[in-house]
Amino acid sequence: MAKSVQASRPVEIDIQIERWPIERLIPRANNPRTHSREQVASIAASMREWGWTNPILVGADDDVVAGHARLEAAGKLGMKEVPVVVLRHLSPAQRRALVIADIQLAIQGAGWDEEMLRIELAILHEEDYNRDLVGFDDIELARLLEAQDAAPRLTDENAVPEVPAVPVATLGDLFILGNQ
């Protein structure tokens, strides 16, 4: 159970992005997070598409706190340096906890608004954008898009409504809208 947040000290917001040579970074030997070759390849593909979007977090001892997969992907891309944020204000215990919390807090209680996700994926499909880059496998993409295609429509876009025998309004009718 999460403890309540206390405002006893200010939140650290003074961060600087630095560029470090890859060989300076020390991957955590006991990193509890694992990364498959496929995931690292997907991250490398996303870096090629969108550029570098999230710096690696490092401790004061040059140890990687968060971003092991990004670091590995950068190596696969032949990069010589990467953007980092140095967390000099964290103790070793805080860095150890952040290694775990960085991932767990991102996934804990998170989910998808599947209807909104379907809409966004459908738009990418219409724009002929490579949806392989968003991280879903082919089976999951097919399931989501099938659900989009199967969603009931309010009306058929080519349907023309029947003209009623007795019209609702006739020439000269006056309608008052609002509170009068």
Side-chain angles (χ1 to χ4, degrees):
M1 187 95 185
K3 295 180 181 178
S4 63
V5 177
Q6 296 178 4
S8 60
R9 63 179 182 213
V11 173
E12 179 65 45
I13 61 171
D14 292 327
I15 60 172
Q16 297 290 319
I17 297 176
E18 302 175 15
R19 293 174 74 151
W20 282 16
I22 284 181
E23 64 269 3
R24 180 176 174 183
L25 298 167
I26 303 168
R28 193 170 188 79
N30 55 345
N31 181 22
R33 189 67 173 177
T34 61
H35 304 285
S36 69
R37 269 189 246 130
E38 293 81 10
Q39 182 197 24
V40 172
S42 293
I43 291 169
S46 75
M47 287 176 175
R48 278 192 298 276
E49 178 71 10
W50 302 306
W52 197 285
T53 60
N54 192 5
I56 294 173
L57 304 180
V58 297
D61 301 328
D62 301 352
D63 57 313
V64 176
V65 175
H68 289 85
R70 291 190 298 278
L71 178 59
E72 193 174 335
K76 300 274 186 215
L77 291 172
M79 297 175 69
K80 301 296 181 211
E81 60 183 17
V82 293
V84 301
V85 172
V86 185
L87 304 173
R88 291 182 180 90
H89 64 285
L90 297 182
S91 70
Q94 287 175 313
R95 291 194 313 253
R96 180 179 303 280
L98 182 56
V99 166
I100 299 166
D102 182 66
I103 298 296
Q104 186 59 26
L105 293 177
I107 60 175
Q108 177 188 14
W112 290 104
D113 176 331
E114 285 207 8
E115 181 59 29
M116 194 59 62
L117 178 59
R118 284 185 192 98
I119 291 168
E120 292 297 315
L121 289 171
I123 292 169
L124 289 174
H125 179 68
E126 289 171 12
E127 294 175 352
D128 200 28
Y129 193 84
N130 183 358
R131 289 168 303 164
D132 292 339
L133 293 170
V134 299
F136 289 101
D137 63 31
D138 291 339
I139 294 169
E140 187 67 5
L141 275 174
R143 182 190 72 78
L144 288 163
L145 292 173
E146 252 178 35
Q148 175 73 21
D149 293 340
R153 307 283 186 237
L154 295 175
T155 61
D156 177 359
E157 62 188 37
N158 296 320
V160 177
E162 294 289 326
V163 177
V166 178
V168 174
T170 59
L171 187 61
D173 283 352
L174 179 64
F175 291 87
I176 299 175
L177 304 175
N179 297 330
Q180 297 263 343

